[in-house]
Amino acid sequence: MPAVIAGGALVVWARRAFLYSTVEGHSMEPTLYAGDRLLVRRVSAKRLRVGDLVVCPVQLPGGAVFLAPPRETLPRLWVKRLAALAGDPMPPGMVAAGYNGTVPPGAAVLLGDNPAASADSRAVGPVPLGQVLGRVVWRPGVSRGGSPAARSGG
């Protein structure tokens, strides 16, 4: 009986500490491809670092958060690279989009690795740091992009 209780406690802890997600779209190519699976560790904002791959709810212009897309036409979560934290200078891609100065307090700049295919902070501005759910810690079964045949080596 104690093993069952311990097993249940472990499951509860894991669900609170981790998030499992699948990449949709092309915004993070060539780092991540559609279909790649991600294990995300929920971490506090103070443990995030520039360069981390992070996950947060989809952001809309004006600060709204988009959690439930109709008929799954849009992803529910963004997977982006943390490009700058509060107090850091705006990255070049943000300056080109019209954002100048430094990242405001309590915010972060999240950018896709594929700017041509990425909806990110260039479109919506800095994202509230509290919206970041966690950092990608593991990519089991990472694809190599392209067709399923290319990913399987065939």
Side-chain angles (χ1 to χ4, degrees):
M1 185 69 138
V4 171
I5 294 170
L10 179 62
V11 168
V12 169
W13 171 82
R15 294 194 84 176
R16 287 185 181 162
F18 294 94
L19 171 72
Y20 191 72
S21 187
T22 301
V23 174
E24 299 176 23
H26 305 284
S27 72
M28 289 302 296
E29 291 178 3
T31 306
L32 301 171
Y33 292 90
D36 285 352
R37 291 167 294 193
L38 306 173
L39 184 64
V40 178
R41 173 77 192 251
R42 296 179 192 267
V43 296
S44 67
K46 66 183 177 183
R47 297 190 64 182
L48 296 172
R49 301 289 178 257
V50 170
D52 286 346
L53 295 179
V54 298
V55 173
C56 76
V58 170
Q59 305 291 310
L60 297 174
V65 176
F66 196 51
L67 288 174
R71 298 188 181 149
E72 302 297 319
T73 56
L74 294 172
R76 281 174 269 182
L77 298 174
W78 267 359
V79 179
K80 304 293 178 194
R81 187 169 305 280
L82 198 156
L85 288 163
D88 290 345
M90 286 289 178
M94 292 293 287
V95 174
Y99 295 93
N100 294 306
T102 60
V103 178
V109 173
L110 306 180
L111 301 177
D113 286 358
N114 181 3
S118 184
D120 54 29
S121 287
R122 287 176 283 246
V124 301
V127 172
L129 195 53
Q131 294 285 338
V132 175
L133 299 176
R135 173 180 44 219
V136 174
V137 293
W138 189 43
R139 299 182 300 188
V142 173
S143 74
R144 298 293 170 228
S147 69
R151 284 186 240 161
S152 66

